[in-house]
Amino acid sequence: MGKINFTTDEASILKAYKLSSQNPTKWEEIDHDLEDPLSDLLTSQSNDGDGDPLGLGGVIDLTSLDADSKMSVLISSKSFDPKAFLSAVHPNATYQDLAAGITHLQSSIDARSEAVRVLVEDNFDRFVAVKASTDALYAEMREGLLSDKAEFASRPLVDYLKRSAVKANQVFLPTLENSAKAQKLRTTLGVFERSKFFFSLPGFLVESIEAGRYEAALRQYNKGKFLLDSRPGQLLPVEAGANAGSTAQQKRILDKVWANVEKVMGEMKALLLARLQEPGRSVEEMERGIEILLELNVPEDPIWTYFDSQHKRIMDRMSAAYRTGVSIIDATKSRTAPELSSPNALRQILGAQLQVCIVALESKTPEAVIAQAGGHEVWQAIWDMVKNISEVMVSSLPNFWKIARSFLEGKFKRPSSSRRSSSQCRQMALDIIKLYINFLSEFFILSDVLSNSSTTNSPEHFPSHSNSLTTAHWLTKILNEVQDCVAEIGALELGEGGLVKGLVESARWRFEDVLVRSWLRDANYMYTLESFTPDLSTPSTTLYLAHLESFMRHLATSAFKIAGGVSTDSGSGVLRVTQQNIVPPAFISKITKAFLDAIYAVLDGFVVLVAEEAPPGVGSIVSAGAPEREGKQELIDLRDSNTRLLLVISNFSHLSGSLIPSMLSQLENALGISVEDDRKTLMKAVTALDKTLFDGYVKPKAAAVAVILREGILDKDMDWYETPQPTEIRPYMYKALMGLVEIHAQISRVSENLLERGIYALVENVAQDALLSFKQVKRFGMGGMLRATLEIEFMHQTLARYVSPPAAKTLSELYNKISQAYARRPGDENLQGNLDSVKRTLAESRRATGIEFMCFRAAKERSGKGKKEKDEGRERGKDRGKDREGRGDSSTAS
């Protein structure tokens, strides 16, 4: 297969497209078959192989030349120009080269002439034969076909055509005449059909308007108007040559019919204008109405009629919804407000609500109970008011703005310019949003977050007897409604400049302030929930602590949600996606402060619980639950302030050791902050209050026992120097120890976990009071020293289980004080025998009082550790006996 030649053939291109050059400047169509230049160009291209006619070895490159230049350079062209040839092919040739070229050219011409002469000589006979044949053929045609009689062979053809025309007239003329008549009939029928349309046009328009087919009515109206203006003769035909009266009559008939048409169309215009002012119409319906009115060229501008009426209607509806909502809220608040006949009435009401709501937090559906607590009727009315205003705006503003945006983009504009600016419709939309913001700001008394201005009271329309849990529920619900409305408005891209975003932030700040105030108020009343019912899941505590933890956690979580820490999208039901956001520092500070203040308020409530009189709401008797007491539950009297004090102290142990650190850790994790300094301050306050409450129980008890000891030790009838050797322990010691037994029984019955702490503290106080009393004795005789030792040792051994290191040190000082105050007299030599007698008396007394003071012994079911402590106590007793013997011997020796 040979190679395909893709070389550009300029002449072929020019011939194919009938152009004179490849760069034409105007439309042209040239027949190159009749033009010499292109034929010369084609001939020259076919003879490109001839080479340089001067024989100088030059190359004729025609690719870069246009057609005219090629014609002047090619030697075979009729427009050959020697000057152009030399400048294009031999621009640098010398005179000698040109002289040699002339000689070569002359010889080439001579050679060509000789070749032509030889060609003619060789074929002369052929030329003669062709000339003879041509002359013979011409002579024969002149005598026959091309003779003068036949008019050069055209007469027969003319005769044939004439005969054909006559025959065609005979055949086709009747058919053409009938066709003309039919056409005339069709024209007449068409005229009458057009007249029928015109006369039935009013009725058709009425039917279309009643059916709501306004576009069809407009099309028929425009069609009738066009025919009336351009072709009235077609609507009501008038014969040619009719007089002026017929023409005037035609005009009167047309005018009367058209007046009816205009009347119907006027009614349609008024109807469409009225529909533009009606609510509930779809955007498409409104847009079609505006377009039809614009096409009808009504005097009023339909787009501004729509904007003005809809803007006024939306504003009026929002105002009416707000005024109606506020009146309903005030009426509901007046109807449901409780009678606060006493200063404590509100506290009792809120306490009862909190009791129900906090118990509901542990159920599966707490919100159903919380939402129906005190003041829920007012909250429901407030939520309905906000929802109604939001629905008015959300249901109307998107359609309004969609048409306004189309208008701003150039749609719905009349050919004649309006004096009103197109940007006014945007301002109308912003006015609607501002009115919504003003209503909410006025009702909720909103303020900027950064203004640091917070009102001292809640909005006047809020229920005053609603607990904080219910308040948190409804505030969150109202805020969600506002957020959903703002999200839909923000999606419209009105360019409101952050107005709606600022509304949400202000609402969050205000609602946070209301919730915090309600939170702190209820925290001060939380103590009314303390029924001193034992918490079986956490020993030695009451259910109050569990309620307190649920209360604090729920309100902290609600405050976190209101601050924007948890948000949901605008979906509904299971489609609402929850996500956690960063809380602004101002909200974090407010929540943290409220949380800590609430804890301090709760701590203050503990003090109220231990008052002399039982606080309101506290039952007289409650089951403490003591399965170890022969399977029976004991009843404790809560009217006793000491009983309540022990329960409160027991709760404090769990509060300071577990509950408060856990709640603070949860707060830190939720808010992403550290409250270490506040934690330390709070724990110091808890510790100080715990010590105050504990001392409030221990010190009066210790003081009562100390009075008994002091009266026995410093009895005026007791002479420690002259008293004889003891044979028994005096009753005051039994009385003092029985007082401790009663305290032991009370603590064990009420809060056993405080037993060791309480008895340890009492023993320390008793030991200290005994030391102070014996320090007032100036001297002891043998009998006084032995009696004092016997009584203190009896107390020491009886309370050995609860003797702490400080108490042991105090007792050691007491023994030393007795030894130092011992004054030896003649006849005191038998010290060892006296000591043995004292030991027997001590042992007998211990055995005799074993049952009474059994509570001070370690339980039998204790591990070997308890036995080891007993053995260590006995060893310490022996060591103390030996020490006393040594001290007695040394005194005797002295």
Side-chain angles (χ1 to χ4, degrees):
M1 181 178 178
K3 294 182 179 180
I4 300 176
N5 184 12
F6 291 101
T7 305
T8 303
D9 188 351
E10 181 181 357
S12 299
I13 294 174
L14 296 178
K15 184 177 181 180
Y17 291 99
K18 297 182 180 181
L19 299 174
S20 61
S21 66
Q22 291 185 353
N23 299 308
T25 59
K26 62 181 180 178
W27 177 265
E28 57 187 7
E29 194 170 339
I30 299 174
D31 188 358
H32 290 287
D33 294 335
L34 303 177
E35 295 292 334
D36 291 336
L38 188 57
S39 62
D40 294 339
L41 181 61
L42 294 171
T43 304
S44 65
Q45 289 183 353
S46 65
N47 297 328
D48 284 344
D50 293 345
D52 183 10
L54 297 181
L56 299 180
V59 178
I60 304 176
D61 185 9
L62 302 179
T63 58
S64 60
L65 301 178
D66 56 10
D68 294 337
S69 300
K70 287 180 181 179
M71 294 302 101
S72 62
V73 170
L74 293 175
I75 59 175
S76 60
S77 174
K78 295 180 181 180
S79 59
F80 173 75
D81 187 356
K83 294 181 181 180
F85 174 81
L86 292 177
S87 63
V89 180
H90 302 290
N92 299 322
T94 61
Y95 176 77
Q96 291 79 6
D97 294 336
L98 295 176
I102 291 173
T103 303
H104 179 272
L105 180 61
Q106 186 63 45
S107 61
S108 298
I109 293 172
D110 293 341
R112 287 177 180 271
S113 299
E114 182 63 22
V116 172
R117 187 181 64 78
V118 172
L119 178 64
V120 173
E121 288 179 356
D122 293 342
N123 297 281
F124 183 74
D125 55 342
R126 296 179 179 177
F127 286 110
V128 173
V130 170
K131 179 67 171 59
S133 299
T134 304
D135 291 343
L137 178 61
Y138 179 71
E140 184 178 353
M141 292 179 66
R142 284 290 299 171
E143 291 177 358
L145 182 64
L146 300 179
S147 62
D148 293 337
K149 295 180 180 180
E151 296 181 357
F152 300 98
S154 63
R155 178 173 291 177
L157 180 61
V158 171
D159 292 340
Y160 290 142
L161 292 175
K162 287 181 178 180
R163 289 196 295 271
S164 297
V166 172
K167 192 65 176 177
N169 288 333
Q170 294 175 355
V171 175
F172 294 105
L173 190 58
T175 302
L176 293 176
E177 289 177 353
N178 292 334
S179 176
K181 292 178 181 179
Q183 181 64 30
K184 211 178 270 189
L185 289 174
R186 282 194 293 270
T187 302
T188 303
L189 289 175
V191 170
F192 282 108
E193 185 65 27
R194 286 193 293 273
S195 299
K196 176 183 177 182
F197 158 76
F198 187 74
F199 286 116
S200 62
L201 182 58
F204 177 81
L205 293 178
V206 171
E207 293 177 0
S208 298
I209 293 172
E210 291 178 350
R213 298 193 301 270
Y214 303 107
E215 294 88 348
L218 179 63
R219 286 195 302 270
Q220 297 301 323
Y221 171 76
N222 289 335
K223 180 180 178 181
K225 186 176 182 180
F226 171 75
L227 293 176
L228 180 65
D229 294 340
S230 60
R231 302 172 184 175
Q234 294 182 4
L235 294 177
L236 192 64
V238 179
E239 296 182 359
N243 56 18
S246 299
T247 304
Q249 183 179 9
Q250 177 201 37
K251 187 175 185 307
R252 284 196 303 273
I253 294 173
L254 294 178
D255 290 343
K256 185 175 182 180
V257 175
W258 191 249
N260 293 331
V261 171
E262 290 291 351
K263 180 180 179 181
V264 174
M265 293 305 294
E267 294 175 355
M268 189 180 83
K269 293 175 185 179
L271 178 62
L272 290 177
L273 285 173
R275 289 167 67 90
L276 290 180
Q277 305 176 32
E278 295 176 359
R281 301 287 182 181
S282 64
V283 176
E284 293 75 13
E285 188 176 357
M286 291 294 187
E287 288 180 343
R288 287 197 301 270
I290 294 173
E291 290 173 350
I292 292 173
L293 289 172
L294 287 174
E295 191 167 350
L296 291 174
N297 196 23
V298 295
E300 304 88 352
D301 194 340
I303 188 65
W304 285 111
T305 300
Y306 170 80
F307 286 148
D308 292 338
S309 60
Q310 294 297 324
H311 174 260
K312 183 178 183 302
R313 184 185 63 81
I314 296 172
M315 300 281 279
D316 292 343
R317 287 184 61 195
M318 290 177 64
S319 300
Y322 176 73
R323 289 191 299 269
T324 304
V326 171
S327 61
I328 293 175
I329 292 169
D330 292 338
T332 305
K333 183 179 179 182
S334 301
R335 187 182 71 253
T336 59
E339 294 183 4
L340 303 179
S341 56
S342 64
N344 298 327
L346 181 61
R347 180 183 63 188
Q348 296 173 359
I349 292 173
L350 292 176
Q353 292 180 19
L354 289 173
Q355 183 71 42
V356 175
C357 292
I358 292 177
V359 171
L361 289 177
E362 301 175 1
S363 64
K364 294 182 179 180
T365 56
E367 297 299 330
V369 177
I370 294 174
Q372 296 299 317
H376 73 275
E377 301 91 349
V378 180
W379 285 118
Q380 181 69 49
I382 294 174
W383 182 77
D384 290 340
M385 183 268 292
V386 175
K387 184 175 180 62
N388 290 336
I389 298 176
S390 301
E391 285 182 349
V392 170
M393 184 170 67
V394 171
S395 63
S396 305
L397 186 58
N399 293 344
F400 181 90
W401 176 242
K402 186 175 181 180
I403 295 178
R405 185 164 53 187
S406 299
F407 178 65
L408 291 174
E409 293 172 355
K411 196 176 179 181
F412 308 129
K413 290 189 176 181
R414 305 185 72 165
S416 58
S417 60
S418 175
R419 291 179 297 175
R420 303 179 67 171
S421 173
S422 59
S423 62
Q424 189 175 351
C425 61
R426 182 191 298 274
Q427 186 60 43
M428 288 181 175
L430 294 179
D431 290 342
I432 296 172
I433 297 177
K434 289 179 180 178
L435 182 64
Y436 177 77
I437 295 174
N438 290 338
F439 283 151
L440 295 187
S441 299
E442 177 183 347
F443 186 85
F444 295 110
I445 318 177
L446 302 183
S447 61
D448 189 9
V449 177
L450 301 179
S451 64
N452 292 326
S453 60
S454 59
T455 58
T456 57
N457 297 316
S458 297
E460 60 177 347
H461 304 287
F462 283 10
S464 60
H465 62 290
S466 178
N467 67 84
S468 54
L469 301 179
T470 302
T471 299
H473 169 81
W474 284 103
L475 287 178
T476 304
K477 190 173 182 180
I478 294 170
L479 182 61
N480 289 337
E481 179 64 32
V482 175
Q483 282 183 285
D484 291 343
C485 177
V486 167
E488 294 192 31
I489 298 304
L492 299 178
E493 299 180 357
L494 281 167
E496 72 281 358
L499 288 175
V500 292
K501 183 178 179 181
L503 170 65
V504 173
E505 292 302 316
S506 297
R508 289 186 190 279
W509 185 254
R510 186 69 181 114
F511 288 3
E512 198 76 63
D513 190 56
V514 173
L515 176 60
V516 165
R517 188 174 293 107
S518 178
W519 186 358
L520 297 180
R521 179 202 61 189
D522 289 357
N524 284 291
Y525 296 156
M526 272 297 292
Y527 69 89
T528 61
L529 274 64
E530 177 61 281
S531 61
F532 296 103
T533 303
D535 187 356
L536 300 181
S537 62
T538 307
S540 302
T541 62
T542 64
L543 288 176
Y544 175 68
L545 295 185
H547 293 166
L548 174 61
E549 183 180 11
S550 300
F551 171 79
M552 295 295 292
R553 183 190 301 112
H554 185 80
L555 288 179
T557 302
S558 299
F560 184 69
K561 290 180 180 179
I562 291 176
V566 177
S567 63
T568 55
D569 65 5
S570 58
S572 61
V574 295
L575 298 180
R576 293 182 74 92
V577 180
T578 303
Q579 61 181 1
Q580 188 163 345
N581 305 319
I582 299 176
V583 179
F587 286 93
I588 291 178
S589 177
K590 180 182 283 290
I591 295 173
T592 304
K593 184 177 183 303
F595 188 88
L596 295 173
D597 290 345
I599 293 180
Y600 283 115
V602 170
L603 295 179
D604 294 338
F606 280 106
V607 178
V608 180
L609 291 174
V610 297
E612 288 297 329
E613 296 182 359
V618 175
S620 299
I621 298 177
V622 69
S623 174
E628 70 277 11
R629 303 240 195 310
E630 300 178 358
K632 297 181 179 179
Q633 289 186 330
E634 284 193 79
L635 299 179
I636 57 176
D637 187 3
L638 294 179
R639 291 170 293 185
D640 185 2
S641 61
N642 288 325
T643 300
R644 299 195 302 273
L645 181 56
L646 286 173
L647 291 172
V648 170
I649 296 172
S650 178
N651 281 341
F652 251 89
S653 300
H654 182 69
L655 191 69
S656 59
S658 174
L659 187 56
I660 290 180
S662 174
M663 290 193 299
L664 290 177
S665 298
Q666 293 177 20
L667 181 69
E668 290 177 332
N669 294 333
L671 300 181
I673 60 173
S674 175
V675 292
E676 189 60 32
D677 294 338
D678 294 321
R679 182 196 296 266
K680 292 179 180 178
T681 304
L682 178 59
M683 295 312 296
K684 287 181 181 179
V686 172
T687 303
L689 185 56
D690 176 69
K691 184 178 183 305
T692 301
L693 294 174
F694 184 74
D695 290 343
Y697 178 80
V698 171
K699 289 189 179 300
K701 301 295 184 183
V705 176
V707 170
I708 297 173
L709 290 177
R710 190 179 306 111
E711 290 177 352
I713 295 171
L714 301 178
D715 188 2
K716 60 182 180 178
D717 296 332
M718 179 63 187
D719 187 353
W720 290 100
Y721 186 72
E722 298 294 340
T723 185
Q725 181 178 344
T727 58
E728 62 179 358
I729 297 175
R730 290 185 298 161
Y732 85 94
M733 184 56 67
Y734 293 112
K735 184 179 180 181
L737 291 176
M738 286 306 295
L740 293 179
V741 169
E742 293 178 0
I743 298 172
H744 185 283
Q746 185 181 40
I747 297 177
S748 299
R749 184 173 62 253
V750 176
S751 182
E752 194 170 358
N753 66 314
L754 296 178
L755 187 59
E756 290 191 359
R757 180 186 177 189
I759 301 301
Y760 273 125
L762 284 170
V763 171
E764 290 177 6
N765 282 274
V766 167
Q768 188 66 35
D769 291 332
L771 175 60
L772 294 176
S773 298
F774 275 111
K775 282 184 176 180
Q776 298 181 33
V777 179
K778 303 299 182 182
R779 59 179 181 171
F780 293 92
M782 174 63 74
M785 184 269 291
L786 293 175
R787 182 176 294 279
T789 302
L790 173 63
E791 293 174 353
I792 296 301
E793 186 64 20
F794 177 76
M795 182 182 71
H796 191 172
Q797 291 187 16
T798 302
L799 301 175
R801 178 185 170 191
Y802 298 103
V803 176
S804 62
K809 182 179 179 182
T810 302
L811 291 173
S812 178
E813 293 180 6
L814 178 56
Y815 290 130
N816 291 332
K817 173 64 177 66
I818 295 173
S819 298
Q820 293 171 4
Y822 170 56
R824 189 164 180 262
R825 294 182 297 179
D828 294 345
E829 290 80 5
N830 191 15
L831 179 59
Q832 185 61 44
N834 294 332
L835 289 175
D836 292 338
S837 177
V838 169
K839 289 179 182 179
R840 286 191 297 270
T841 303
L842 176 62
E844 292 173 359
S845 300
R846 289 274 291 153
R847 283 193 298 271
T849 59
I851 296 177
E852 288 85 347
F853 302 137
M854 186 182 293
C855 62
F856 296 127
R857 297 181 183 180
K860 293 181 180 180
E861 60 269 20
R862 293 240 178 165
S863 62
K865 180 179 177 181
K867 296 180 180 179
K868 183 178 178 181
E869 291 176 351
K870 282 186 177 182
D871 295 338
E872 291 177 354
R874 293 194 187 99
E875 292 297 328
R876 288 195 300 270
K878 292 179 180 179
D879 293 340
R880 288 192 295 271
K882 292 179 181 180
D883 292 341
R884 286 192 294 273
E885 291 176 0
R887 287 194 294 272
D889 294 341
S890 62
S891 301
T892 304
S894 61

